[in-house]
Amino acid sequence: MSERAAPFYCPYCGDEDLRPNETGHGAWECAACNRAFQLKFLGLLARGTARNDVGGDEI
């Protein structure tokens, strides 16, 4: 089993200096702006990933 994905940048300041936070699963802290945040996966959308368009513009 692979590790979970980590965020690439802080959602508040955009810096990349992130570290896991002691609060728990999905919690991160940014050393640049001194903020802590938590990420959570909510689930898949009911419509899935299928696209409705078949291509091209209607004339």
Side-chain angles (χ1 to χ4, degrees):
M1 181 155 292
S2 63
E3 293 184 30
R4 296 192 182 264
F8 293 111
Y9 56 88
C10 174
Y12 297 100
C13 72
D15 199 86
E16 297 177 356
D17 191 6
L18 301 176
R19 298 180 181 123
N21 187 283
E22 298 174 357
T23 306
H25 180 72
W28 295 87
E29 57 187 48
C30 177
C33 68
N34 203 29
R35 288 188 170 115
F37 57 94
Q38 188 168 12
L39 302 175
K40 182 178 178 182
F41 177 70
L42 298 177
L44 297 174
L45 299 175
R47 66 178 181 261
T49 58
R51 294 183 62 159
N52 291 336
D53 60 343
V54 290
D57 294 333
E58 292 186 31
I59 297 177

